[in-house]
Amino acid sequence: MIAVQATYDGKEFKPLPSEHVPEVSGEIPVTILFPEELVQAEKRKQLLESARRMRALRDAMEPLGLTVAELLEEGRRER
């Protein structure tokens, strides 16, 4: 196995200037690994974006006019 460090911009991989990429003919299978801290950072970014969307939806709603206890009681009556 040969390891080559590169940067990725979402479309292309570009080897770092100090890296030697072997010449190949045709297509060959490769394995691409992303450092775990980058994966975790992307997950955090997605969670924050989801939270922002949920907050915006919540802020757009009008108050229900009932307490949580009243909502629970109403739900029990519907059974």
Side-chain angles (χ1 to χ4, degrees):
M1 180 191 292
I2 298 173
V4 177
Q5 291 185 334
T7 58
Y8 177 60
D9 64 4
K11 295 180 183 177
E12 295 183 287
F13 289 92
K14 297 177 186 170
L16 297 180
S18 61
E19 292 294 315
H20 171 71
V21 180
E23 290 187 29
V24 297
S25 58
E27 293 183 3
I28 61 167
V30 297
T31 302
I32 300 169
L33 300 173
F34 289 95
E36 186 63 27
E37 63 269 9
L38 293 178
V39 173
Q40 293 300 328
E42 184 60 29
K43 285 181 183 178
R44 178 173 166 71
K45 180 181 170 186
Q46 289 173 352
L47 285 173
L48 288 173
E49 184 56 36
S50 293
R52 282 189 204 103
R53 285 194 311 270
M54 290 188 322
R55 177 57 116 171
L57 289 170
R58 177 181 172 207
D59 290 344
M61 292 176 61
E62 292 188 29
L64 296 175
L66 298 170
T67 66
V68 172
E70 292 169 331
L71 287 171
L72 290 172
E73 187 59 36
E74 191 66 32
R76 288 186 186 122
R77 282 190 224 142
E78 289 181 10
R79 286 185 178 185

